[in-house]
Each structure stands twice: as C-alpha cells, then as structure tokens.
C-alpha cells in the first residue's frame, strides 16, 4: 500500500491526542445513556482508520530518521527556519495553527522533521553532475530583504503608494505591518538564497526578479499562504563559485526531489531501505500494513522479506 508523504505545515498530523493513547487502558473517555467509551476502545477504533494508520507510519518514520539523522540537523538551524516561517505568517500565525489543529511546538517539530527527512534523502539519493551544473546555472546568491506582511492587499498597496510618495520605509513598516515579532524592527529577514526553503517561494521569486539594492516591489506580492507582502531589497551578494555552494545545491535538489509527487515511489524506496536497516518490525496486527508500502518498496522477489 502506497503511503504519501505530506510536506509543508502538515508534515506531522496529531490526531487529537492519539499519540498519547497508545496503550491498553480501561479509563473512560465518554459516558452517556447509550453507554461509555474507554481509551482502549477509542484507540482500537482509531488505529484501524486511514488517518490513524498514516499517523502511525509518520511516527515510525520520524522516530527512525531522528535516530539516524537527527544529529545532522542542528537545533539552531531548525529554530531559524521556524522563526522565518512564523514571521511570514505575521498576525495570522495563530489562525494558521488553529486551522491545522497544531500547537506552536508541533509546528516547530514538523519543520525539524522535514529538515531531517531532507537530510536523510540527500544522504541516500544519488545526484548527478548534470543535476548540479543545472542547479548552479539557476542559482541566485544570498539576498537580504525587509518585508512588510500587511493585513490585506489594500494595506500592502497603500504601503507601496506611501513609499513612492516619499515616506520612509521605517514609518511605512510601522504603519502597515501586521504583528511580526520574528523580524527586525524594520522587517528585515535573515539573508537567503535560491536554495532556501524557509522563505516563501513567492517572496523569493519576487525578490530575485527585482532590480537591485533599494528596489521596492511595485505591486503587492501574494505569498503561498495568501498573505500580501511588500519587499525592499537591502543587499545582494556576488554569486560564489559552484564549489562553494555545492552542499546547498545538493540540499535543494534533494528538497525538490522530495516535493515532486512524481517521485513518491523513489522516496518510498529510500525510506524503506532505512527502515529495514533499522530492523523495524510492526507487532500490532491492525497496524501491520501501515508501513507495507515502505517496507516492500524496492524489495525484489529474491530479496529477504520484510518483517
């Protein structure tokens, strides 16, 4: 059975506390005139559902990959990625969390799991020189921007109009920016290049197409989350030699590979080989098939059978 990996905000799906109910308990979670429901009954029902099976698969994969590759992704790097994404949501961050039934810590964990998955694939995915050369030809060097995340499109346009009328960026930022605690007082974000996956892809694309230092976006930039932004280019670095950014290029190629739905079978093969190497064995009969798509992917008929 093929199991799709979901990227973005919903990398880890927390099913209303399912992860905390993984035990045999007669504790009552509901009473009514029709009868009661115990934790065991609830767990036995949920684990048989498609969502429950997917969550179990996610838990196993994240556990194994964290053991094998967690040390290769620093906490400072994952925290920086979290801060950057939170800044882009602005005042809508809490609403986004609520819509996806996630806490801030769960969102932060999902980002870290994505980064670990990317590293695991990079470590096991063979990248050709042709791929590297093509990635370098499309590479955009580090760019530093200041960003206004406005409450709506009209506010974003008004901010642009005020700047064009002669108002300073600082005053316009103060007037129109929604809550943005993870950027500087003027909305400046950490430098990023085209291999960066923390900054919204629409913001990156717009910034790289602007004319240079001091340029202001001539119209509101709509992010993938639906927010509207105004961008100011603060600094653009020179393009480094390919050898200097080869590691970044490989990370970007691996990330693009992960995000392309056409590669699900190849991704399953990579994950499956890691799970088999880690001797994963599912003991619960109801959950036996939750990982079958991974455990059998790439295994030939004369290969050793999965557990």
């Amino acid at each position: 059975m093929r199991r799709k990996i979901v990227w973005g905000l919903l990398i880890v799906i927390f099913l209303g506390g399912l992860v905390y109910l993984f035990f045999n308990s007669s504790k009552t979670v509901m009473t009514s005139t029709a009868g009661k429901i115990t934790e065991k009954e609830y767990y036995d029902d949920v684990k048989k559902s498609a969502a429950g099976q997917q969550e179990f698969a996610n838990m196993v994969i994240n556990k194994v990959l964290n053991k094998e590759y967690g040390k290769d992704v620093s906490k400072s790097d994952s925290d920086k990625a979290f801060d950057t994404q939170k800044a882009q949501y602005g005042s809508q961050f809490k609403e986004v969390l609520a819509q996806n039934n996630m806490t801030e810590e769960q969102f932060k964990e999902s980002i870290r799991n994505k980064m670990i998955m990317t590293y695991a694939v990079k470590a096991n995915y063979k990248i050709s020189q042709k791929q590297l050369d093509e990635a370098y030809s499309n590479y955009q060097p580090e760019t530093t921007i200041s960003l206004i995340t406005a409450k709506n499109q009209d506010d974003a346009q008004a901010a642009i109009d005020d700047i064009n009328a002669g108002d300073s960026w600082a005053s316009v930022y103060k007037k129109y920016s929604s809550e943005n605690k993870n950027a500087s007082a003027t909305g400046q974000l950490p430098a990023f290049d085209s291999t960066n996956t923390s900054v919204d892809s629409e913001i990156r694309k717009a910034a790289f197409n602007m004319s240079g230092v001091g340029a202001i976006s001539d119209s509101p930039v709509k992010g993938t989350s639906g927010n509207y932004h105004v961008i100011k280019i603060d600094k653009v670095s020179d393009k480094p030699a390919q050898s200097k950014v080869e590691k970044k290029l490989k990370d970007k190629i691996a990330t693009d590979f992960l995000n392309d739905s056409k590669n699900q079978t190849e991704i399953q093969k990579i994950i499956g080989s890691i799970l088999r190497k880690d001797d994963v064995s599912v003991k619960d009969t109801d959950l036996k098939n939750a990982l079958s798509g991974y455990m059998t992917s790439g295994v030939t008929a004369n290969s050793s059978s999965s557990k």
Side-chain angles (χ1 to χ4, degrees), residues 41-58:
E41 289 172 327
Y42 173 69
Y43 166 67
D44 285 345
D45 185 63
V46 172
K47 72 176 179 177
K48 296 174 184 176
S49 69
Q53 298 251 328
Q54 180 64 69
E55 172 60 12
F56 175 72
N58 287 342

Side-chain angles (χ1 to χ4, degrees), residues 27-169:
K27 181 179 178 181
T28 299
V29 295
M30 187 282 292
T31 61
S32 72
T33 57
K36 66 179 182 179
I37 296 176
T38 66
E39 284 183 340
K40 182 180 185 302
E41 289 172 327
Y42 173 69
Y43 166 67
D44 285 345
D45 185 63
V46 172
K47 72 176 179 177
K48 296 174 184 176
S49 69
Q53 298 251 328
Q54 180 64 69
E55 172 60 12
F56 175 72
N58 287 342
M59 289 175 68
V60 173
I61 291 168
N62 289 333
K63 189 176 186 67
V64 171
L65 294 186
N66 266 282
K67 176 203 168 224
E68 297 295 335
Y69 301 100
K71 63 184 181 299
D72 298 301
V73 177
S74 70
K75 185 177 184 299
S76 62
D77 283 346
S78 59
D79 285 349
K80 181 180 176 181
F82 166 77
D83 289 343
T84 299
Q85 289 198 32
K86 184 176 181 180
Q88 290 165 184
Y89 284 112
S91 61
Q92 297 183 10
F93 180 64
K94 290 183 179 179
E95 181 182 344
V96 170
L97 292 179
Q99 288 174 348
N100 290 283
N101 194 29
M102 299 182 80
T103 66
E104 188 168 307
E105 285 304 309
Q106 289 168 347
F107 178 50
K108 184 179 290 188
E109 183 180 354
S110 75
I111 290 174
R112 179 167 176 79
N113 284 335
K114 178 179 179 179
M115 294 175 73
I116 292 172
M117 172 70 81
T118 300
Y119 189 95
V121 171
K122 182 195 73 173
N124 293 275
Y125 173 56
K126 293 182 179 179
I127 297 172
S128 69
Q129 188 60 47
K130 181 180 179 181
Q131 286 175 294
L132 280 172
D133 293 342
E134 183 178 352
Y136 180 70
S137 69
N138 296 322
Y139 175 78
Q140 296 288 339
E142 284 200 338
T143 300
T144 303
I145 68 169
S146 290
L147 183 74
I148 294 174
T149 300
K151 292 180 180 178
N152 51 52
Q153 185 176 8
D154 289 342
D155 274 8
Q157 185 60 56
I160 294 171
D161 293 341
D162 285 359
I163 293 170
N164 290 337
D167 289 355
S168 70
W169 175 269

